[in-house]
Amino acid sequence: MSQNIQADASHTKTRSAAISKTSVKAAWGSFIGTTIEWYDYFIYGTAAALVFPHVFFTNLTPAMATLMSMISFSVAFVVRPIGGMVIGHFGDRMGRKKLLVFTLMVMGLCTAAIGFLPSYDQGGYIGPILLIVLRIIQGFALGGEWGGAALMSVEHAPKGRRGLWGSTMQMGVPAGLLVSAYAFAMVSSLPDEQFYGWAWRIPFIFSLALLGVGLYIRMQVSEPEAFEEIARKGEVEKAPLMKVVKHEKKKTIVMAFFQTVANVGYFLITVYSLSYITEHLHIPRSVASNALLIAATVDLFMQPVFGWLSDKVGRKVVYGFGALFFACYAFPFFALLNTADPVYITIALSLGLGLGHASTGSLHGVIYAEQYPTKYRFSGASTAYQLSGIVSSAPTPIIAAWLITSTGSTSAVSWFVIAAAAITMFCIFLTKETYKIDINK
């Protein structure tokens, strides 16, 4: 009898160790892969603010060139839901891993290709047209990437630690921003002739090296046990997206608006503020790049803190804190920027990302994954998350540029952030708490 008990205990211990090792590998794979994918994405965002108005839209006035550059950045959000639906469909049918490898390859190759495009002075309209085409393809790939990476980390997470494990995937977002900001900081110090002539291309072409690393790591990660169990039983959904539409329509609409303030705050800080600092405050681009570099570092280290906290007190409490912070910070943020002091600019960006975004963005993976059952979780989470991009991410840089150009003041943008916070708080109220539920069903 005692031998059987010892054997069972030994088996349980071995199984727990195996689960722990698999969980760590899945979290690490999601983090590295997501870092590389978001590096590709943010390289474009940084260039849209600092480079593209001077390279691809030189035939326009400075204000229109900035606006067109922001539109080229935002156009990807329109196709991200399509990517989420298509790739999510196959992810629910074929598994998470294959689709994650595919999306990583597409993102990396598109990013590298942008580094070889001719400028407007070199090729006329062909440069801007190809730029937008590649951006659309990027958006399609990222639409499916996010859902797969979120599910890999959350579905592999140990019991009671989904928030922490899910935040490791979301850490790839500030990590990608960090690497992209560092890459641009290194070339931003060069004279304008060299920077706009060739140096801006280096961070894009460097994506090819990162692609090789990312593919190797992602190939080492196994499928989550929850999906493999469904596949073994032959219970894979033939039309998972239709199940989402039929059973989760209202929930998906709520989740499409859920992260409104997180998206508005994040892209205001990481994309539009770079343009505002350089074009309106006439501060060297190196100051903006270095400030963003520090802010991304703060965001990176704060995300697991809030992920861990959500496992203790709940997702809604932590996310609600982030929404309220953004609302209270809307006016002080621009007040700090308008000092034109590099130290205060760095503080402004660091507080916005380290508190506002870290407390909200860190939970996106786990919150969206916990809303849907395993059979159509990829389709549901991806579709809801990517629809939020159209609702709140895509318009933010354009609306911010238009509001400041039209009013000559940042006050309207601050009220825009406060309105976004109100929308998110309402969605939090409509959403059920999920941090204690069993999602492997």
Side-chain angles (χ1 to χ4, degrees):
M1 184 72 171
S2 60
Q3 290 180 341
N4 290 337
I5 294 175
Q6 290 177 352
D8 290 341
S10 177
H11 176 73
T12 301
K13 185 176 180 180
T14 302
R15 178 175 172 78
S16 297
I19 291 175
S20 177
K21 185 177 180 180
T22 301
S23 299
V24 171
K25 185 182 292 187
W28 178 244
S30 291
F31 169 72
I32 294 297
T34 303
T35 297
I36 295 170
E37 298 244 16
W38 282 95
Y39 166 85
D40 293 344
Y41 208 72
F42 284 125
I43 278 293
Y44 192 104
T46 304
L50 301 180
V51 178
F52 295 162
H54 305 277
V55 175
F56 294 109
F57 304 104
T58 53
N59 59 318
L60 304 174
T61 65
M64 284 302 299
T66 299
L67 185 60
M68 284 301 300
S69 186
M70 293 301 165
I71 290 174
S72 77
F73 172 79
S74 299
V75 70
F77 290 99
V78 178
V79 296
R80 274 173 59 173
I82 301 175
M85 293 174 189
V86 174
I87 295 172
H89 168 83
F90 289 104
D92 280 324
R93 289 185 55 77
M94 301 168 58
R96 297 26 171 152
K97 181 177 177 178
K98 294 177 182 178
L99 276 300
L100 284 174
V101 171
F102 168 75
T103 56
L104 184 63
M105 287 185 62
V106 172
M107 285 288 293
L109 293 176
C110 285
T111 301
I114 290 173
F116 294 100
L117 291 181
S119 66
Y120 180 83
D121 293 337
Q122 294 171 330
Y125 288 106
I126 189 171
I129 290 173
L130 289 176
L131 177 71
I132 293 174
V133 170
L134 290 171
R135 179 61 175 170
I136 290 172
I137 298 174
Q138 274 190 331
F140 179 87
L142 189 61
E145 145 67 21
W146 181 89
L151 268 53
M152 287 292 277
S153 58
V154 172
E155 290 180 338
H156 274 299
K159 184 178 180 180
R161 304 182 73 182
R162 291 196 303 262
L164 177 60
W165 248 244
S167 71
T168 60
M169 183 278 293
Q170 288 296 114
M171 286 169 64
V173 180
L177 175 59
L178 180 63
V179 178
S180 67
Y182 183 72
F184 260 98
M186 293 186 67
V187 298
S188 291
S189 59
L190 294 172
D192 284 356
E193 183 178 354
Q194 297 178 32
F195 178 69
Y196 293 122
W198 56 268
W200 70 268
R201 300 176 184 273
I202 294 176
F204 284 88
I205 298 172
F206 179 64
S207 181
L208 288 175
L210 296 178
L211 175 61
V213 175
L215 287 176
Y216 173 78
I217 292 174
R218 283 216 160 148
M219 292 298 291
Q220 310 305 310
V221 182
S222 62
E223 286 287 350
E225 185 176 336
F227 175 80
E228 289 187 330
E229 181 66 19
I230 289 175
R232 280 196 298 268
K233 293 180 177 178
E235 297 177 352
V236 174
E237 291 287 350
K238 294 182 179 180
L241 184 58
M242 293 300 100
K243 291 289 185 178
V244 175
V245 174
K246 182 178 180 180
H247 299 293
E248 313 286 358
K249 186 184 300 181
K250 292 182 179 179
K251 180 187 292 183
T252 301
I253 292 173
V254 170
M255 297 310 296
F257 286 88
F258 187 88
Q259 56 177 307
T260 298
V261 73
N263 289 344
V264 169
Y266 190 70
F267 286 100
L268 181 65
I269 294 169
T270 60
V271 179
Y272 182 73
S273 67
L274 299 182
S275 177
Y276 180 79
I277 291 168
T278 56
E279 301 296 332
H280 287 265
L281 301 180
H282 305 292
I283 296 174
R285 59 179 174 268
S286 58
V287 172
S289 297
N290 290 333
L292 188 58
L293 190 68
I294 295 172
T297 303
V298 176
D299 189 12
L300 175 66
F301 285 100
M302 288 302 294
Q303 289 222 10
V305 174
F306 286 111
W308 169 83
L309 187 61
S310 78
D311 285 328
K312 304 300 180 182
V313 301
R315 320 295 186 216
K316 295 175 66 172
V317 173
V318 176
Y319 207 95
F321 162 80
L324 290 175
F325 174 84
F326 269 129
C328 296
Y329 191 55
F331 280 95
F333 173 71
F334 280 107
L336 289 169
L337 292 187
N338 289 334
T339 64
D341 185 316
V343 173
Y344 286 116
I345 289 174
T346 302
I347 292 173
L349 271 59
S350 297
L351 287 175
L353 294 186
L355 291 180
H357 181 257
S359 58
T360 53
S362 63
L363 304 187
H364 286 159
V366 67
I367 287 177
Y368 281 75
E370 288 175 345
Q371 299 301 313
Y372 300 92
T374 304
K375 292 182 180 180
Y376 49 84
R377 182 172 293 142
F378 202 145
S379 296
S382 293
T383 300
Y385 183 88
Q386 301 308 339
L387 283 174
S388 73
I390 293 181
V391 171
S392 50
S393 296
T396 293
I398 301 171
I399 291 175
W402 176 75
L403 286 174
I404 291 179
T405 301
S406 302
T407 66
S409 170
T410 60
S411 295
V413 180
S414 297
W415 283 113
F416 172 50
V417 175
I418 292 172
I423 293 172
T424 290
M425 290 301 296
F426 181 67
C427 291
I428 292 174
F429 174 75
L430 295 177
T431 305
K432 292 182 179 180
E433 183 57 79
T434 55
Y435 78 112
K436 291 184 177 181
I437 68 170
D438 179 11
I439 65 169
N440 294 323
K441 295 179 180 179

